[in-house]
């Protein structure tokens, strides 16, 4: 990913486990996004947090020290997942144990996908796609996109930013 470009970014929990089913782990994701947005490292235009993956439409604005903001996001959320699981659910933590030289636990799959968003038409298509995932038959997390709390759908319908980190795409395009 390049600074100053908008991407649809998809990251999946290792082995598609439902770690993000828990509201406290969804809040870890939200808090990390909030921090990086307020430090002006990224802009978030849309998102959805599903039980086993996330979709973010974001723009990386500036490096966070020596690393790109998405790397900081992945590292920080992993650290907090590990910290909480070590304290509250060591058995679940063991499901994320890996035999890597650089780490003991691995929460996000290595193959995160970033697709550049080149136009407002593509943006609207991607945004509609991610907002509709929670209502799909497979998930059934809400009856309507705006009813699913862990998404930017309500923001685009009402203009109210419950999370205090979203930027409406009209401010960018």
């Amino acid at each position: 990913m390049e600074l100053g470009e908008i991407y649809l970014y998809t990251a999946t929990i290792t082995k598609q486990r439902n770690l993000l089913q828990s509201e406290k782990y969804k809040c870890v994701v939200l808090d990390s996004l909030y921090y990086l947005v307020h430090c002006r490292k990224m802009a978030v235009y849309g998102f959805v947090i599903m039980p086993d993956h996330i979709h973010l439409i974001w723009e990386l604005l500036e490096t966070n020290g020596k690393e790109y903001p998405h790397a900081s996001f992945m590292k920080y959320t992993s650290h907090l997942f590990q910290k909480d699981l070590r304290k509250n659910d060591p058995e679940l933590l063991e499901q994320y144990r890996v035999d890597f030289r650089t780490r003991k636990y691995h929460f996000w799959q290595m193959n995160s996908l970033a697709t550049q968003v080149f136009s407002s038409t593509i943006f609207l298509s991607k945004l509609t796609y991610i907002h509709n995932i929670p209502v799909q038959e497979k998930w059934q997390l809400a009856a309507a996109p705006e009813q699913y709390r862990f998404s930017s759908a309500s923001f685009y319908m009402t203009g109210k930013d419950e999370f205090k980190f979203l930027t409406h795409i009209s401010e960018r395009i």
Side-chain angles (χ1 to χ4, degrees):
M1 285 190 288
E2 298 294 325
L3 296 177
E5 301 294 336
I6 299 174
Y7 293 88
L8 169 61
Y9 184 77
T10 302
T12 303
I13 297 294
T14 300
K15 297 182 182 175
Q16 294 185 301
R17 291 186 179 104
N18 287 336
L19 181 67
L20 300 174
Q21 183 77 36
S22 168
E23 187 166 324
K24 70 179 169 180
Y25 297 130
K26 287 181 180 97
C27 288
V28 165
V29 169
L30 295 170
D31 291 346
S32 183
L33 293 171
Y34 176 89
Y35 174 80
L36 290 165
V37 167
H38 285 272
C39 288
R40 294 186 171 87
K41 304 299 179 189
M42 68 172 55
V44 177
Y45 302 105
F47 77 95
V48 66
I49 305 172
M50 299 301 293
D52 68 349
H53 68 284
I54 60 173
H55 293 288
L56 303 161
I57 301 176
W58 62 10
E59 178 180 7
L60 307 180
L61 301 173
E62 179 180 297
T63 57
N64 190 29
K66 293 182 180 182
E67 64 189 5
Y68 277 79
H70 72 285
S72 296
F73 170 80
M74 302 299 272
K75 188 187 304 182
Y76 183 72
T77 54
S78 293
H79 171 76
L80 290 184
F81 295 157
Q82 179 182 338
K83 183 178 176 181
D84 182 78
L85 288 169
R86 178 173 280 125
K87 179 181 177 184
N88 297 308
D89 198 343
E91 288 180 24
L92 181 56
L93 177 61
E94 286 306 306
Q95 293 181 24
Y96 295 94
R97 183 176 286 281
V98 292
D99 200 17
F100 294 168
R101 228 176 27 142
T102 56
R103 68 183 69 135
K104 291 181 183 178
Y105 302 97
H106 193 72
F107 294 95
W108 297 104
Q109 287 183 7
M110 297 277 204
N111 61 345
S112 297
L113 178 64
T115 305
Q116 192 169 0
V117 176
F118 291 102
S119 69
S120 57
T121 303
I122 293 171
F123 173 85
L124 290 173
S125 170
K126 301 297 185 189
L127 188 68
T128 300
Y129 167 74
I130 69 171
H131 286 167
N132 282 307
I133 294 171
V135 301
Q136 290 177 352
E137 187 175 334
K138 174 183 178 180
W139 296 105
Q140 299 179 6
L141 297 173
E146 67 277 8
Q147 293 174 348
Y148 184 64
R149 180 171 175 241
F150 297 98
S151 157
S152 55
S154 178
F155 169 70
Y156 277 93
M157 289 197 71
T158 67
K160 295 177 186 168
D161 181 8
E162 168 188 357
F163 306 104
K164 309 279 188 267
F165 64 73
L166 290 165
T167 300
H168 198 285
I169 194 61
S170 64
E171 293 180 36
R172 171 63 164 74
I173 295 181

